[in-house]
């Protein structure tokens, strides 16, 4: 009999931005980058991957971040300059199940 798959939970933070918000990325990016580095130093192992999509599409997320815990994803988004300065119009966290290594 086949064993049930063993899943690892990860939490994907999606960022959504309108055209106006995307035009502000160069202005706000230095603060966002500093915040990201500080977050990683203060909460090692929580933020696993981060980055924008190469080809943003209307109605689709413009960036995603992968976290070890939902709490870390929500804490990160709440204080990220991209969110607080209006570059990101909305965000959402989804649970992602990854397969065994």
């Amino acid at each position: 009999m086949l064993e049930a798959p063993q899943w690892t939970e990860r939490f994907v933070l999606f960022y959504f931005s309108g055209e106006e918000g995307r035009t502000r990325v160069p202005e706000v990016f230095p603060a966002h980058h500093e915040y990201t580095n500080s977050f990683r130093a203060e909460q090692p192992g929580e933020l696993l991957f981060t980055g924008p999509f190469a080809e943003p599409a209307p109605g689709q997320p413009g960036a995603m971040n992968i976290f070890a815990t939902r709490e870390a994803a929500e804490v990160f988004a709440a204080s990220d300059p991209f969110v607080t300065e209006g570059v990101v119009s909305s965000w959402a966290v989804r649970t992602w199940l990854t397969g065994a290594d």
Side-chain angles (χ1 to χ4, degrees), residues 10-21:
R10 295 292 183 233
F11 300 88
V12 182
L13 170 62
F14 290 104
Y15 277 172
F16 298 86
S17 298
E19 185 59 38
E20 184 177 323

Side-chain angles (χ1 to χ4, degrees), residues 1-38:
M1 183 165 198
L2 293 175
E3 277 187 45
Q6 299 298 308
W7 301 108
T8 300
E9 284 188 338
R10 295 292 183 233
F11 300 88
V12 182
L13 170 62
F14 290 104
Y15 277 172
F16 298 86
S17 298
E19 185 59 38
E20 184 177 323
R22 284 193 299 274
T23 64
R24 297 195 56 231
V25 168
E27 168 194 345
V28 181
F29 181 79
H32 162 77
H33 186 66
E34 182 179 322
Y35 173 72
T36 300
N37 289 339
S38 295

Side-chain angles (χ1 to χ4, degrees), residues 38-98:
S38 295
F39 186 91
R40 280 187 158 144
E42 293 168 12
Q43 297 194 42
E46 288 290 349
L47 176 54
L48 306 174
F49 297 98
T50 184
F53 290 104
E55 299 169 351
Q60 296 295 311
M64 67 183 252
N65 307 276
I66 301 174
F67 291 84
T69 65
R70 176 178 294 278
E71 179 183 15
E74 292 173 350
V75 166
F76 181 88
S79 296
D80 183 354
F82 274 170
V83 174
T84 62
E85 297 296 322
V87 171
V88 170
S89 57
S90 66
W91 55 270
V93 178
R94 295 196 56 199
T95 304
W96 180 36
L97 302 177
T98 63

